[in-house]
Amino acid sequence: MSIYREVAVRILMVLSLCIGYALAPGSLLAQEIQIESPNQVGLSSVRLQRIDNLIEEAIEDEVIAGAVALVARHGRIAFMESYGMANVTDAKPMRSDTLFRIASMTKPITSLAIMMLYEEGHFFLTDPVSLFIPEFKNPLILSEDSEFSESKGAITIQQLLTHTSGISYKFISNTDRRARLSQMYNDAGISDGLSETNNTIADLSTKLGELPLLFEPGSEFAYGLSIDVLGHLVEVVSDMSLTDFFENRIFKPLGMTDTHFYLPNSKLERLATLYSPGEDGRIHEVTGTIEEGYASFSPTYHHSEPQTYYSGGAGLVSTAPDYLRLLQMFLNGGELNGMRLLSPKTVQMMTRNNIGPLSVEPGIKFGLGFAIVEEPSMTGGSKSQGTYYWGGIFNTRFFVDPDEELIGIFMSQLIPRDPRRLRDRFVNTVYQAVVQ
């Protein structure tokens, strides 16, 4: 594994920084990436080296093939490193501009699109989604005995944003009720957006509208396809495809030139290979569609045919510098480099508890697109109160800490998830470097 730390790889990394995106002092990501001294933003450069140790050890042990780690504070990048290989077989080194399947890190972007349309006055968050997508009118509820009952209320846009709608994921079948609904989803051809999919997200809404909900809307939290439905709502309200809305209303204004649903051929060589742990304890390249129970995922979804399904919950590919632009916009209160997408009040709304007494897990609530740390002492982690975060199933993670003006991004490509919880350990390692 020494090849991962050879001088040649370091040279490639430096070159990629010089020609990439940028950060001018006090203004995030202008034309060229500039790495600030960690000490200038209250971070210990010595303690940040523990990120190197954490990730390099995982590469040496073949837990992952490679990763990109990025830390920004006070609007400046203080740490960005590329580790290991984007493709082991081809000895292709990981770079700062390597593209990753970000899966559920797509959800905050779809939520952003919804809140932009909300600000423009197209709807109230308390509106039933059936006003725009009639298939969800008069939903049925799946009872414990597998019978159906009529819902007492309608699914609102806010309940879709907060995963309290009763819509589930096919691949999550950890309870008897969810397993029954997963079978119904499977029989109906529902896609979780992680593999090649025929049809469109409009077709997804039609199918989901014909199926029962897991519970009465608003009564529980259950992660699921709600944000994919919101992706279709964006299309209905804006009269644009979701990919066109993202490109014209979000990516171009923010300068996110490397974020796509489907990659152009010119960028395929930058897409990191997807790996999976093998029975021999070593990682192996995932080369085709994997079907395991109700789960289905594919490494080729982002460049193979058909290219008509824009999963607002799981569909995007991006880079660490590109995603930083999005997160810094949120941390700035809705604005980046003079381009305002949201008002500060709307960002506050998105990043506070929106599920009342319900919880994602102990100490964790949910906002409009993010998990929110409400009781740090209950989480067993280092994140501050008010920190918002999320991740993707292919082993990616981000967090934004408004109090510390701190952003962390970890990107690797591994499924199932790393048994060492590497991405979560990365978060804790970032926090231990905060010294001022």
Side-chain angles (χ1 to χ4, degrees), residues 25-26 49 82 87 129 138 145 156 189 221 227 296 315 340 391 412:
Q49 290 177 6
S82 307
N87 183 288
V129 71
N138 301 321
D145 57 5
T156 68
F221 175 91
I227 310 301
S296 174
R340 179 165 294 282
S412 186

Side-chain angles (χ1 to χ4, degrees), residues 42-91:
L43 299 174
S44 166
S45 56
V46 173
R47 284 176 164 261
L48 281 174
Q49 290 177 6
R50 294 177 180 176
I51 298 175
D52 292 345
N53 299 335
L54 176 70
I55 298 176
E56 287 170 354
E57 180 181 316
I59 293 171
E60 291 287 344
D61 293 343
E62 297 195 43
V63 174
I64 59 172
V68 173
L70 188 154
V71 181
R73 196 175 191 210
H74 305 319
R76 303 177 183 180
I77 297 177
F79 181 95
M80 183 163 64
E81 288 286 345
S82 307
Y83 305 87
M85 294 293 166
N87 183 288
V88 174
T89 302
D90 296 339

Side-chain angles (χ1 to χ4, degrees), residues 119-135:
E119 283 196 337
E120 292 169 6
H122 293 285
F123 46 73
F124 294 103
L125 297 188
T126 51
D127 281 343
V129 71
S130 60
L131 293 178
F132 305 91
I133 309 176
E135 290 84 355

Side-chain angles (χ1 to χ4, degrees), residues 295-363:
S296 174
F297 57 90
S298 167
T300 57
Y301 162 46
H302 297 286
H303 55 85
S304 62
E305 299 292 338
Q307 297 188 0
T308 58
Y309 193 85
Y310 307 122
S311 170
L316 289 175
V317 172
S318 191
T319 65
D322 244 32
Y323 208 82
L324 177 60
R325 292 174 175 269
L326 174 80
L327 299 182
Q328 190 66 48
M329 179 274 298
F330 278 114
L331 185 55
N332 291 350
E335 178 270 339
L336 183 71
N337 292 339
M339 301 299 298
R340 179 165 294 282
L341 301 191
L342 293 175
S343 75
K345 293 297 292 184
T346 300
V347 174
Q348 290 175 17
M349 185 193 318
M350 294 181 71
T351 57
R352 68 190 181 208
N353 175 23
N354 275 255
I355 60 174
L358 302 177
S359 294
V360 179
E361 55 187 64

